Amino acid sequence: MIAYLEGLLAETWGTSCIVVTRGGVGYEVDLPAHTLASLPGRGESVALYTSLVVREDAQQLFGFATFEERQVFEVLLTISKVGARTALAILSLYRPDDLRRIVLEEDVDALTRVSGIGKKTAQHVFLELKYKLKVEDVPQAAVLAANGRPGSVFRDVLDGLANLGYSEDECAPVVKNILLQEPDLDVTGALRAALKALARGRL
């Protein structure tokens, strides 16, 4: 795995650049729009955190200005229906903190602004991010809680099930699947559906 790359900037075009290492090897790297825009001039030093995506027909190297962006890119790749190009498009439009804000504020429509993501896919990606992004460590989360912003349906249902003696590890996949199938359910409806599904699973 190529996780970090440092060298001189040789060329840029489209969404890509070529970085030449001290050993004389040039790597083609695809970048988010804001990282591409902040690159230095040709011949100047550049350092990028990278993620190598291997497919049957190609190997692509993606680069990021920060380690956090690289990690969020890897999280996005674990979401079904999100390939490397879509993940790059998401990070071209939104930084990691923007994605956490989207999760905290339940702003699903924000994801539809990404090229190639429709409403149904946006809902799917949103629910996956709610499950996989660690937003509780972000200062903004504390601010939102202090302002009395209501919690998400997903979180509220998990809390309700925890009060009934269910573990989060057992419940989270069930609740996520229910909300993927019926994204308009409120807390009561989702809790009822989750209880039925969990009861069937324990029979």
Side-chain angles (χ1 to χ4, degrees), residues 155-185:
R155 187 72 255 170
D156 287 349
V157 172
L158 286 185
D159 289 344
L161 291 169
N163 290 335
L164 295 173
Y166 290 89
S167 71
E168 184 166 324
D169 288 345
E170 178 183 15
C171 298
V174 174
V175 177
K176 182 176 67 171
N177 185 53
I178 288 169
L179 291 176
L180 282 173
Q181 294 178 17
E182 299 183 71
D184 294 327
L185 282 176

Side-chain angles (χ1 to χ4, degrees), residues 2-203:
I2 302 172
Y4 181 80
L5 191 61
E6 189 172 342
L8 301 179
L9 182 66
E11 296 287 346
T12 62
W13 74 97
T15 61
S16 304
C17 73
I18 293 178
V19 178
V20 180
T21 65
R22 289 183 179 181
V25 178
Y27 291 88
E28 180 179 341
V29 190
D30 288 326
L31 307 170
H34 60 85
T35 305
L36 189 70
S38 65
L39 286 176
R42 290 180 185 173
E44 295 187 37
S45 296
V46 62
L48 298 165
Y49 293 94
T50 59
S51 178
L52 180 64
V53 176
V54 179
R55 304 197 315 259
E56 290 184 4
D57 58 341
Q59 295 185 21
Q60 291 177 286
L61 194 61
F62 294 86
F64 307 92
T66 67
F67 181 71
E68 182 184 29
E69 278 194 326
R70 176 190 182 274
Q71 295 303 90
V72 172
F73 177 78
E74 304 253 336
V75 168
L76 289 168
L77 290 182
T78 66
I79 300 175
S80 61
K81 302 180 183 178
V82 175
R85 286 294 173 189
T86 300
L88 190 69
I90 291 172
L91 287 172
S92 287
L93 194 58
Y94 298 116
R95 305 291 180 91
D97 278 348
D98 295 325
L99 291 174
R100 293 188 181 97
R101 176 192 58 76
I102 287 169
V103 169
L104 287 167
E105 298 182 358
E106 301 198 9
D107 187 9
V108 182
D109 289 341
L111 293 172
T112 64
R113 300 186 191 113
V114 179
S115 177
I117 293 185
K119 191 164 185 177
K120 188 173 181 180
T121 300
Q123 181 70 40
H124 173 76
V125 173
F126 175 75
L127 287 171
E128 291 279 356
L129 285 177
K130 285 172 72 173
Y131 185 54
K132 294 178 178 180
L133 268 188
K134 294 183 178 179
V135 298
E136 64 272 11
D137 298 328
V138 181
Q140 188 179 10
V143 173
L144 291 174
N147 289 338
R149 187 180 298 277
S152 69
V153 172
F154 179 79
R155 187 72 255 170
D156 287 349
V157 172
L158 286 185
D159 289 344
L161 291 169
N163 290 335
L164 295 173
Y166 290 89
S167 71
E168 184 166 324
D169 288 345
E170 178 183 15
C171 298
V174 174
V175 177
K176 182 176 67 171
N177 185 53
I178 288 169
L179 291 176
L180 282 173
Q181 294 178 17
E182 299 183 71
D184 294 327
L185 282 176
D186 60 11
V187 173
T188 302
L191 183 58
R192 187 181 297 117
L195 285 169
K196 288 180 180 178
L198 289 165
R200 285 196 300 269
R202 287 187 170 184
L203 292 177

